[in-house]
Structures are given as structure tokens and as C-alpha cells.
Amino acid sequence: MAMWRSAVFVAAAFGVGCTADIQSPPAGMGASGNATPGSGAGTNTGSGAGSSVGGGATSASGGNGSGSGGTSSPGSGGSSGGTTPGAGGSSSGGTGMLNPNCTPQIEATSQIPRLLNAQYDRTIRDLLGVTNLTAANGVVPSTLLATDLTSGMTDLAWANYKDVADKIATQVFADPKLTANFIKCTPAAGDTTCLHQTIIDFGRLAFRRPLTTDEVARFDKVIAAGATITPTGAPMEVAQALLYMFLISPTFIQRAETTAVSDGAGHFTLSSAEIAQRLSYMLWGTTPDAALNQAADQNMLQTPQQIAAQAARMLQDPKARDMVSAFHQHYLLMDSESHWATANRDPATFPNWNPAVVGPIDDETLKFFDAITFTAGSTFKDFLTSPIAFVNKDTAPLYGLDGSKYGADLTEVSLDATQRPGFLTRLGFLMNFASLTRTNPIYRGAFISKQILGIDIPAPPAGATQTALPDSPDLDTNRKQVDAQTSGDSCKSCHHGYINPPGFAMEAFDAMGAWRTTESNGVPLDTTADITVVDGQPTVHVNGPADLMAAIASSPGALQQYVKQWVGYAYQRPGDAADQCDVAQLSAKMAGGNYAILNLIADLTQTQSFRLREVSP
């Protein structure tokens, strides 16, 4: 940082009030944030047995509130009636399913969470038009910040914020187009009117609320001190100093929720500006836009209906697609230490292996979820039953299509619904959850049971991943080998009850994701299996992938798991016990069958604790 900017901080920090403690952001995955691997089982490698999916479960964290069902909000089709809170909230029948007749809770939330790094980048983009730092080889700003952690601000992390702020301010004032995003007038020497108005106008955007009189006065002191804290005291130098001070202010770096207006029932009611902030960072992962700020300034974000109207509008904005993509990466563990982006095959075993498919098959997975989510009326079942796919010249042949008819970009096609229903029959899952020379029913089955069906399966015992794959003449299929490999007393209860069966049903797809009816040695495949769809309930018999997808699509456990992931992600506190009632009630609405995904996302804004926060003890 240049010497004069250090002087700016020393001379003006007290005047601007940059003395508040900067709190840490919530741990784990936040809305539109980055995935943080939890403490669950590690990734299985090689041919050994074991039940891990990789990445493990994300830990609970502080963050924004959850709450009760409330009224439904408009989405893009489907229905969403109001939820009916009742008494109790215990799980039912030992199945792990939550009882929707529960009393919602309002979680005690962090009042000043720090912006997650992805949120910081998007906020800088939307406020100033800066997406990459020219002074740092074009990296995104948060590359130079500390990672999203639960610990408090360290001296090094604070120095990084100041360094990034300096680079951003310098870049903004080096480009007239970017400068105009900060200051809308031309300041003149000896006239503070323009700079004073910039404090008010940009401050409203940077602080996500109108500045107080005291805050304006403190920034005005920076203007008054301009001649002593900048090289020449020129108006544009002072303007750059103002921008720097905004960017290092704790009020910008944190999302404060400090309004202390009682709701009469032991909670605080969030202000409209705080609601706008929650909406924008939950649905977009960035700062409020002009329409949201206008609604906040008019105090038009106090009722569920007012909030629902904004949520419906915001979900039609392209920024919502970024958030939905980030969520599904979280749901699928694509950002954690799992098997995604690990596809690799032995060319000797698979002569048609092409490394060029690695990126496109993962991109296809996210395009699939995007297409389903934003198609009017699409429901959770469509994730498991839709035949749409996205292929290019390299991936089309693996689906049995003519690659010469496609280019480098992914193109939407419709596949055979009897063979390829849903995302688990797409190349992304099939190829990433396989081994170098063969399919891997353990990888596939563990992911389906744990991550999609939400069944709690313990980590494998020590050394399990080193169990060799047996090889003998009577074990003439991969299924028989894996079944024998996992028959030990310490393995069979989990593997034979939960992990292997869904993996065996997926043996209809080889390690390249291609459809097959026999093993490479010509032995016919057996894809029948008895699947534990909901723990504690009778198994469901399936004959192959299509049956398995249908069973998952109608499984209350899979529905609940998807909703649970959404609630934890949106409220930035995965697995929080206080959110169980919300999960149960939203899952019950989704179980009706015509509850659109966009309705679910919108209804996350309709909970009591989206509008309220607990009074901290």
C-alpha cells in the first residue's frame, strides 16, 4: 500500500469510525458461497472397500435465520399452500423422517456475519464493475483475502482487506468508466458539494442502508483532511481516499443486523434494509439492486407478502441462476473433496477414453439442474426422471449419439427415458464415480444413499479402503467381486444394507457411462437390487436404473434431504437443529408432488425468522 494511503487510514479511521470488531463469517457453506468440506468420511480411492462419498457432512454454523412455514410465495408454477404449525417436532417411527406438525423455532443468529469471499467478489462487481484485479495478474479480488473461516479477524487478514481495497480504488480511478460507478459528479477544488453527495449516494449502496448523520459527518472529515492525507489534495485524490475508506469499513465488510425493535414476543423485527440485505445475499449472493433498495427505503419489506413479491422478481434475474448453480454444487459435493472432476480411465481398458470430456460432463450436470429448476412447474421428481441432457462432439458418442452432429458447446438433447432418466444416469455422475479400469458400485451407491437419500452411514472402519478386490473364477462379474469384498463382519451391515444395492442397480452403465447389458467378458449383468430408500422402512425392489430413479423420486427421505440442504445453504448454517421444523414443513409441501423448485426457494423467504432474529442472551 502506498504511503499516503497508510496515512489515510491512520488519519481518517477515527473520523470514519472504522474501529468496530470485524466478525468472522459463518462456517461451512453459505448462500452463494464456497463449499467447506466437513469432518465426515474421506474419499475412497483405488479398489478398496469403504463407504465414503468424500467431503463428508458440512458442519453447523451461525448465520441468517430460519423459521416457520408462513405463507407461500409465487414461483414459476406449482403450488405452495401455507404450512400449519402444530405441537411437537420429534422424528417419526425411527425412520429419520421429521414430523411437520411441529413448532418452528427462531435461531439465535449472528448479527454481523462477514461477507463470504464469493459474496465480496460479486458485491465489488455490482457496485464498481471490478471483476478482476489488474494489479494482481487479473485474479478475482477475494483471491487475495483469507479463506472463509470461523475464526476472528487476524492482523494478516485485515491487512489483506486493506491491500485489496487499495488495489480496487486505484483501479477504479484509473478507468473513467469505473470511476463513474463511484462518483457521478465532477468535484471542484474548494467545493465539497460533489464529494459530500457521493458520500450519501455511494454510502447508501456500500452500507446497504442510508448512512446516519454521524456517519456522514465522519466521512466529511476525510474530505476536510484531504490536503493532509493525499499527495496534493486534489478533489479526485480525495474521492479515491473516500472509496478506500468505504471498502475498509466494517459496515461494508460485514452484514450488520442491529435493529432492536421488539416484535412483542421476545424477538427483534428486522428493518426493511436488513430484510433487503438478507434477500439479496440469499437469492443472489450479492448486494441489493435499486428496486430492492427502493422497497427498503419505503419500508415495504415488512410483511411476508411484500417479501414474497420481491423474491419472485429476484428469482427471474440471471443472478439467481448463479446462486442456484452454487447451491447444486453444494448439494452434489462438487466443491468439496469428493469424486467430482476426477474422471480418468486406463486407455488400455477403454480405448475410447478422451480427457476432453472431463470438463463438459461436469458442466452438463450443472446445466441439467439449471434447466430443470428454471422450467415452469418443475419439481424435485424431474431431477430424477427428466430425459434431457447436454452433449457436445466429445460426449455425444458416450450417449450413443453421433458426435459429428455437435460442436464444442453443449447442446440440449432428449435421451431414452427408459435408460437415462435423471441426473444420476448422466456422464458426470457415472464417470466421476467409477475407477480407473472398472465401474465402482461402492462409490456410486455410497453417494446415492448418503447424499441423495440422506441416510446416515458411518465412516468405514480403519483399513477398509485397503481391502483388496477378490479375484477368482467364480467371481465373474464386478458385482460378485464387490459383494465378496464387502462380506466381512465389519463391512456387510453398511455395504449390503445401504451402499452396494444402489450401486449394483447402476451397473447398467460402464465406467465410461455407456449403457451395457453384459460385462466386458460377456457375462450378463444383474441390476436387480433391494434398496433401502428410507432407513427403518422396508426395502424397495428395483430391476435397474429406471426403477431406482423412480424410487428415489418418490422417496420422502430424498425429498427431505434436498430441502434440508437448501435450508442449511440458504440460511448459512447446515444441519442446525432449530431449522428442523422448517425442513419438515417444506418437505411436506414438496411431497404433494406439484411443488415447484422455485416455490421452495421463494418459500425460504417466508419463515418467521427470515423477518425476525432472536434476542441474543
Side-chain angles (χ1 to χ4, degrees):
M1 188 188 308
M3 184 65 67
W4 73 268
R5 292 182 181 86
S6 298
V8 169
F9 180 73
V10 173
F14 298 104
V16 179
C18 298
T19 57
D21 178 32
I22 297 184
Q23 301 298 311
S24 60
M29 170 60 69
S32 299
N34 298 316
T36 301
S39 58
T43 304
N44 276 342
T45 57
S47 62
S51 62
S52 72
V53 176
T58 53
S59 60
S61 66
N64 288 341
S66 69
S68 70
T71 59
S72 67
S73 59
S76 184
S79 63
S80 58
T83 55
T84 306
S90 60
S91 297
S92 58
T95 64
M97 299 305 299
L98 299 174
N99 183 356
N101 296 317
C102 52
T103 301
Q105 299 180 50
I106 297 177
E107 177 61 75
T109 61
S110 170
Q111 296 177 34
I112 44 176
R114 197 161 70 233
L115 291 179
L116 297 169
N117 284 350
Q119 295 170 344
Y120 183 92
D121 288 332
R122 290 181 178 131
T123 299
I124 293 296
R125 175 200 66 191
D126 293 339
L127 286 180
L128 297 168
V130 174
T131 56
N132 304 89
L133 297 178
T134 56
N137 297 317
V139 301
V140 296
S142 69
T143 303
L144 305 184
L145 300 178
T147 56
D148 295 325
L149 299 173
T150 58
S151 57
M153 180 72 77
T154 64
D155 290 342
L156 178 59
W158 176 228
N160 290 342
Y161 273 109
K162 291 187 288 184
D163 178 55
V164 170
D166 174 46
K167 286 180 169 59
I168 293 171
T170 301
Q171 184 169 331
V172 166
F173 277 84
D175 183 341
K177 292 182 179 179
L178 297 180
T179 306
N181 293 329
F182 173 66
I183 186 168
K184 307 299 183 182
C185 50
T186 302
D191 185 356
T192 64
T193 303
C194 174
L195 295 177
H196 174 78
Q197 191 60 44
T198 298
I199 291 170
I200 295 172
D201 294 342
F202 185 79
R204 171 63 184 85
L205 303 177
F207 284 7
R208 299 173 286 276
R209 59 164 175 76
L211 272 64
T212 66
T213 301
D214 287 345
E215 286 170 335
V216 173
R218 290 167 184 163
F219 276 97
D220 277 336
K221 290 182 180 180
V222 176
I223 300 175
T228 62
I229 63 174
T230 65
T232 68
M236 293 303 277
E237 290 177 355
V238 178
Q240 184 171 338
L242 285 173
L243 174 56
Y244 173 74
M245 294 308 300
F246 274 116
L247 296 180
I248 65 171
S249 170
T251 309
F252 169 71
I253 296 172
Q254 297 175 152
R255 296 192 290 117
E257 294 175 354
T258 56
T259 300
V261 176
S262 174
D263 73 334
H267 312 114
F268 287 145
T269 300
L270 296 179
S271 70
S272 286
E274 290 168 345
I275 289 291
Q277 184 173 239
R278 281 196 176 191
L279 277 169
S280 66
Y281 282 99
M282 190 180 86
L283 298 182
W284 288 344
T286 187
T287 194
D289 66 354
L292 203 51
N293 283 333
Q294 182 180 20
D297 290 344
Q298 295 173 349
N299 200 31
M300 297 290 288
L301 292 172
Q302 288 299 289
T303 69
Q305 293 77 16
Q306 291 170 336
I307 296 170
Q310 287 292 334
R313 175 187 72 84
M314 295 170 70
L315 285 172
Q316 301 307 311
D317 189 284
K319 291 193 289 288
R321 304 185 93 102
D322 292 340
M323 179 275 300
V324 167
S325 177
F327 164 73
H328 285 111
Q329 291 178 61
H330 161 71
Y331 171 61
L332 299 174
L333 299 181
M334 292 182 78
D335 284 339
S336 66
E337 296 175 0
S338 69
H339 296 285
W340 292 98
T342 63
N344 190 23
R345 296 294 172 268
D346 176 17
T349 307
F350 299 100
N352 60 334
W353 163 246
N354 181 0
V357 305
V358 174
I361 63 174
D362 288 356
D363 291 343
E364 180 196 11
T365 301
L366 294 178
K367 285 182 71 70
F368 176 91
F369 277 93
D370 177 89
I372 298 298
T373 300
F374 289 98
T375 296
S378 291
T379 69
F380 174 77
K381 289 186 177 181
D382 292 308
F383 291 141
L384 282 307
T385 60
S386 173
I388 69 167
F390 297 87
V391 305
N392 69 7
K393 61 183 178 62
D394 297 314
T395 64
L398 296 172
Y399 284 121
L401 303 174
D402 183 356
S404 67
K405 295 181 178 181
Y406 304 94
D409 295 333
L410 292 174
T411 301
E412 182 174 343
V413 298
S414 184
L415 304 177
D416 183 349
T418 64
Q419 292 184 359
R420 301 277 187 175
F423 77 98
L424 290 171
T425 68
R426 300 294 174 268
L427 298 179
F429 172 71
L430 297 171
M431 292 184 69
N432 282 308
F433 289 77
S435 296
L436 188 66
T437 60
R438 64 180 182 90
T439 62
N440 197 314
I442 293 175
Y443 287 175
R444 292 174 177 178
F447 183 87
I448 291 171
S449 291
K450 294 177 68 175
Q451 193 63 18
I452 305 303
L453 293 171
I455 297 173
D456 185 14
I457 301 174
T465 59
Q466 305 305 314
T467 304
L469 191 69
D471 186 16
S472 64
D474 60 312
L475 302 178
D476 56 356
T477 66
N478 190 47
R479 174 173 181 155
K480 292 178 181 178
Q481 288 180 296
V482 171
D483 188 64
Q485 179 190 29
T486 57
S487 293
D489 291 341
S490 63
C491 299
K492 63 183 179 182
S493 62
C494 288
H495 277 271
H496 292 192
Y498 303 105
I499 297 171
N500 294 1
F504 291 155
M506 299 297 286
E507 282 289 87
F509 303 103
D510 69 13
M512 290 289 290
W515 178 264
R516 62 178 183 168
T517 57
T518 66
E519 288 271 9
S520 58
N521 59 6
V523 176
L525 291 172
D526 178 9
T527 59
T528 62
D530 295 313
I531 310 295
T532 299
V533 177
V534 177
D535 198 12
Q537 293 188 4
T539 59
V540 175
H541 183 76
V542 302
N543 291 314
D547 280 357
L548 176 58
M549 298 307 109
I552 297 173
S554 60
S555 165
L559 291 173
Q560 179 177 289
Q561 170 72 353
Y562 185 72
V563 173
K564 178 182 177 182
Q565 293 295 319
W566 256 121
V567 170
Y569 184 86
Y571 296 154
Q572 297 187 201
R573 50 168 186 267
D576 196 291
D579 294 330
Q580 285 192 352
C581 188
D582 286 322
V583 172
Q585 293 178 342
L586 290 169
S587 298
K589 294 169 75 172
M590 181 172 280
N594 59 349
Y595 186 53
I597 300 300
L598 287 180
N599 287 110
L600 167 64
I601 301 171
D603 275 356
L604 293 168
T605 73
Q606 296 297 287
T607 62
Q608 287 184 45
S609 64
F610 190 83
R611 293 177 291 111
L612 306 174
R613 66 177 174 86
E614 189 65 77
V615 177
S616 298

